[in-house]
Amino acid sequence: MTERALVSRATMEIATALATGAAGAAVMWGSIEHDIGWGDSGPAAGYFPFRIGALIVLGSLANLGFALWGRHEHSVFVTAEQGKRVLAFALPILGFVIVSLFLGMYLGTILYLFFVMVFQGGYGPIRALALGIAVAVAMRLIFPLWFKVPLLIGPLEAWLGLY
Amino acid sequence: MDNLGSLFHGFGVALTWYHVALMLVGVLLGILVGVLPGLGAPNGVTILMPLTFTMDPVSAIILLTSMYWGALFGGSTTSILFNIPGEPSSVATTFDGHPMAKQGQAVEALSFAFLSAGFGALVGVIVITVLSGWVTRFALRFSSPEYFAVYFLAFASFIGLAGANPVKTLVSILLGFAFATVGMDTISGSLRLTFGFDELLRGISFLIVVIGLFGIGELLLTMEEGLKFEGVKAKVSLSGVLATLARLPRYWVALIRGSLVGVWMGITPGGPTAASFMSYGLAKRFSRRRANFGKGEPEGVIAPETADHGAGTAAMLPMLALGIPGSATAAVMMGGLMIWGLNPGPMLFIERPDFVWGLIASMYLGNVVAVVLVLATVPLFAAILRIPFAIIGPVIVVVCFIGAWTVGASKPDLWFAFFFGLVGYVFKKLDYPVAPLVLALVIGDKAEDAFRQSMLMSQGSLRIFYENPLVGTITTLAILLVTWPLWAMLIERVWGVRTARVQPVDLE
């Protein structure tokens, strides 16, 4: 590996072990709101989750130990080049989710496809818009009209009277 | 043979125009899903699932399982022509399939792959037909402790046999169980682990988790590699297929070995991915032509393909008869069964024979349909892959989020799908297996109920898991498997023997 590492594998192993450990701790913390012992009708509501959470914490500690003191070659989690590609793909998705929540999925889809095709794919705006609209029309035909499953709509659709 | 009678009854259910049409649609959608990287079988079935909620369960399961078969086949097309596995379970097919295609034997490679896959699937279905009666009768003797022991065994085999890091597998399983406990507790009715968020009251849907882990996560991995499709062109002709079919019996050893490995890995929850790797590894070790492996040896295509499909079909047996899914896709379908109001397990065979045997009969037909369709549509789907990924990728993203929305029409689900996409990306890169997480999420509630009912029966004594020979044997096996990594280490230390380990692969 001659490529520059953006994040090393060891760093990511540690971060992940900490994250799963935190999730385990949260599960334990959430379950002590309930009885974690023995109720009138056998194991109470918190019994199972509390022990699951504790085991997650233990497993995460073991993974943390392996990551800190285990043998590991200096391997790469993600190189700068890969990191750029992943972010270039993930950030527009994030944008798509946010726009969809406010403007509905049809507009979200059109804007998202337009954006990625024009700014990342290098397509002309007309083609990008056409594809976005085509996908939105297909969505409308397949989901609400054919299968009677409504999609998330925004103020525009409501104003146009589309469900 | 009352099974045979039931099977004929099943054919009566499956052989209607409507159901055959559903099979065709399912297989075609499945091939599409299998061909496209980032859209795999578990994720494809998940996205289609909400559309089946209003359908009759028999029709719904025929549609979804046909999609599964199609996806298993479609994954091999891309492996052979493009050297890019469309499915994790067709990774092993690239080793010899793509070299064959590059040497101008693309048609042979594809025909070998699909025909042997069809053979493996057929063996899987025959095993289900023969064994299901016996397994259900056996399972009818189960009560809560036995069920908990079997669940425990299923997860123990992930830790002991999967070949992935056992501690990471354990954490993955436990996270699945923890997510399963979120929301309303079925026994006491109290709300657990919602942390005051109303959004969590309904719990975390396994469908959303699958869309995130298998869909978005897989896409992020695909993008990271900056892949380019530079495929080999293939024209499939009937004479070419028939010539390959005539050569197929020569590879009978690989066919039978692959099917057996596949069926075994499908019934024990190893899944198709592990099965295909194991079968390829075995073939490479024992074949007379092992020197050619990796350079375009037909046996190197046949071995993983038979096992892949044998496992895919056989995974239905423990799902139907015991309520334990043998692969991630089977887990999703089992979740679907419960949503349709069916309770997987031995009683399903007694209460809904039309459902069970209709499904089994449709598996015979669906796989034959799939072999024919996948051979006929190779050029079409190869053309789809020539569409630049800058267009395909985002369209798949949109489809994934539509799927996430249709699950429950809830806005936070979109965030969950995105979040689990990031989790899936990180987990896959760090070799945390994600399939056990999904399995634990689907059967988490059932496992907890089984445990709590056992504890009620025994007034809190763990000895109930050794109360009779049946539950005792299962529990002992499970404990052996869970601690297998330790035993393997001990054996290595004491005798200096290296224990065989399967390649560390993520289980589909």
Side-chain angles (χ1 to χ4, degrees):
Chain A
M1 275 290 188
T2 47
E3 278 179 276
R4 201 160 54 85
L6 189 68
V7 183
S8 80
R9 174 148 180 153
T11 315
M12 205 59 201
E13 290 276 8
I14 292 168
T16 307
L18 289 176
T20 54
V27 170
M28 288 169 76
W29 183 68
S31 47
I32 50 175
E33 275 181 32
H34 308 280
D35 186 359
I36 59 163
W38 211 258
D40 304 328
S41 57
Y47 183 90
F48 206 65
F50 184 77
R51 281 151 185 81
I52 293 281
L55 279 173
I56 294 176
V57 171
L58 281 180
S60 307
L61 284 177
N63 281 332
L64 186 66
F66 289 134
L68 284 174
W69 295 290
R71 288 168 295 167
H72 43 88
E73 315 82 59
H74 290 278
S75 52
V76 175
F77 177 74
V78 65
T79 64
E81 179 64 29
Q82 291 173 328
K84 230 164 71 185
R85 278 200 288 253
V86 170
L87 278 184
F89 190 68
L91 289 179
I93 300 182
L94 188 62
F96 167 59
V97 171
I98 294 171
V99 171
S100 294
L101 288 177
F102 288 102
L103 297 179
M105 288 186 109
Y106 297 105
L107 273 184
T109 302
I110 294 171
L111 289 174
Y112 168 62
L113 291 179
F114 182 82
F115 177 84
V116 288
M117 279 181 72
V118 170
F119 294 101
Q120 294 178 347
Y123 290 88
I126 311 264
R127 283 179 74 181
L129 195 64
L131 183 91
I133 291 175
V135 171
V137 169
M139 280 159 59
R140 171 128 189 98
L141 290 178
I142 295 172
F143 291 95
L145 298 182
W146 186 15
F147 281 99
K148 310 277 179 235
V149 179
L151 296 180
L152 177 57
I153 58 164
L156 180 72
E157 289 90 343
W159 182 68
L160 287 172
L162 302 168
Y163 59 92
Chain B
M1 283 291 279
D2 52 339
N3 281 9
L4 212 58
S6 313
L7 183 64
F8 280 115
H9 172 69
F11 273 110
V13 176
L15 268 179
T16 63
W17 284 113
Y18 178 55
H19 285 158
V20 173
L22 280 181
M23 253 177 243
L24 291 174
V25 172
V27 166
L28 281 176
L29 278 176
I31 300 174
L32 179 67
V33 154
V35 162
L36 294 173
L39 263 184
N43 188 40
V45 171
T46 304
I47 291 173
L48 199 59
M49 178 88 65
L51 302 184
T52 66
F53 288 164
T54 51
M55 288 165 88
D56 162 54
V58 182
S59 314
I61 193 82
I62 288 178
L63 179 65
L64 293 181
T65 48
S66 301
M67 187 179 197
Y68 188 16
W69 318 139
L72 287 173
F73 280 101
S76 319
T77 312
T78 42
S79 293
I80 291 168
L81 294 182
F82 296 88
N83 204 23
I84 294 164
E87 288 281 295
S89 60
S90 39
V91 173
T93 309
T94 60
F95 301 158
D96 278 283
H98 191 62
M100 273 182 85
K102 279 207 292 205
Q103 292 157 20
Q105 296 176 301
V107 180
E108 283 87 345
L110 288 167
S111 315
F112 269 131
F114 298 145
L115 293 172
S116 55
F119 180 84
L122 213 59
V123 172
V125 194
I126 291 173
V127 167
I128 294 184
T129 313
V130 175
L131 286 188
S132 59
W134 181 74
V135 174
T136 19
R137 268 194 299 282
F138 186 62
L140 277 174
R141 286 161 48 194
F142 283 17
S143 73
S144 298
E146 282 84 1
Y147 269 111
F148 182 75
V150 170
Y151 292 136
F152 183 32
L153 179 66
F155 286 103
S157 65
F158 269 118
I159 293 173
L161 299 180
N165 177 330
V167 185
K168 285 181 174 173
T169 312
L170 178 73
V171 169
S172 188
I173 293 171
L174 291 169
L175 284 173
F177 274 123
F179 291 136
T181 56
V182 173
M184 175 91 78
D185 171 25
T186 42
I187 292 184
S188 68
S190 49
L191 292 166
R192 298 189 294 183
L193 300 181
T194 57
F195 302 102
F197 292 104
D198 291 346
E199 290 83 1
L200 288 173
L201 290 184
R202 291 183 310 138
I204 299 174
S205 167
F206 67 98
L207 296 167
I208 303 295
V209 176
V210 171
I211 288 174
L213 291 178
F214 287 89
I216 311 291
E218 198 70 49
L219 278 170
L220 288 172
L221 276 179
T222 311
M223 287 317 287
E224 178 187 84
E225 279 158 26
L227 85 172
K228 275 212 174 67
F229 292 109
E230 281 159 8
V232 179
K233 283 211 164 72
K235 264 220 171 87
V236 180
S237 65
L238 188 63
S239 59
V241 175
L242 289 178
T244 315
L245 182 62
R247 279 172 63 200
L248 198 62
R250 262 186 258 169
Y251 299 96
W252 62 277
V253 182
L255 283 171
I256 290 173
R257 186 172 47 214
S259 312
L260 291 181
V261 169
V263 168
W264 171 252
M265 295 297 276
I267 292 177
T268 65
T273 308
S276 61
F277 274 101
M278 191 190 248
S279 175
Y280 186 85
L282 284 174
K284 200 175 166 184
R285 190 175 297 172
F286 294 111
S287 170
R288 271 182 291 145
R289 286 178 289 270
R290 55 178 163 265
N292 290 337
F293 269 64
K295 296 175 204 152
E297 166 60 42
E299 207 179 319
V301 176
I302 293 169
E305 282 295 315
T306 39
D308 176 5
H309 287 247
T313 40
M316 294 292 140
L317 176 63
M319 178 194 101
L320 291 171
L322 298 174
I324 295 170
S327 71
T329 315
V332 174
M333 288 191 206
M334 195 181 115
L337 248 62
M338 296 194 274
I339 296 175
W340 301 323
L342 299 176
N343 206 1
M347 288 311 284
L348 190 64
F349 281 77
I350 295 165
E351 285 165 0
R352 294 295 305 268
D354 59 321
F355 176 84
V356 174
W357 289 102
L359 166 61
I360 294 175
S362 87
M363 288 166 74
Y364 284 95
L365 290 171
N367 276 298
V368 174
V369 168
V371 173
V372 175
L373 273 184
V374 76
L375 279 167
T377 55
V378 164
L380 173 70
F381 287 108
I384 287 177
L385 278 181
R386 285 174 223 280
I387 302 172
F389 204 73
I391 298 177
I392 293 263
V395 171
I396 298 176
V397 169
V398 170
V399 172
C400 287
F401 279 100
I402 291 176
W405 170 259
T406 53
V407 168
S410 123
K411 287 184 176 184
D413 278 352
L414 300 184
W415 286 117
F416 284 136
F418 186 73
F419 169 75
F420 280 105
L422 300 181
V423 172
Y425 169 73
V426 173
F427 270 25
K428 276 181 197 182
K429 290 212 77 175
L430 296 180
D431 304 318
Y432 281 82
V434 292
L437 194 157
V438 174
L439 258 59
L441 184 54
V442 171
I443 66 174
D445 278 342
K446 289 167 77 91
E448 186 186 353
D449 289 352
F451 181 72
R452 281 161 78 173
Q453 274 153 13
S454 314
M455 289 296 101
L456 278 179
M457 286 162 67
S458 71
Q459 272 133 30
S461 160
L462 285 173
R463 273 165 63 189
I464 192 165
F465 297 116
Y466 274 97
E467 193 191 43
N468 62 50
L470 177 62
V471 68
T473 314
I474 305 173
T475 312
T476 312
L477 261 177
I479 291 173
L480 267 177
L481 275 177
V482 151
T483 48
W484 180 249
L486 299 176
W487 297 116
M489 225 156 57
L490 201 71
I491 293 169
E492 234 166 82
R493 283 270 161 82
V494 177
W495 286 286
V497 194
R498 285 196 68 79
T499 42
R501 294 204 79 175
V502 193
Q503 288 201 37
V505 283
D506 185 19
L507 301 162
E508 183 267 340

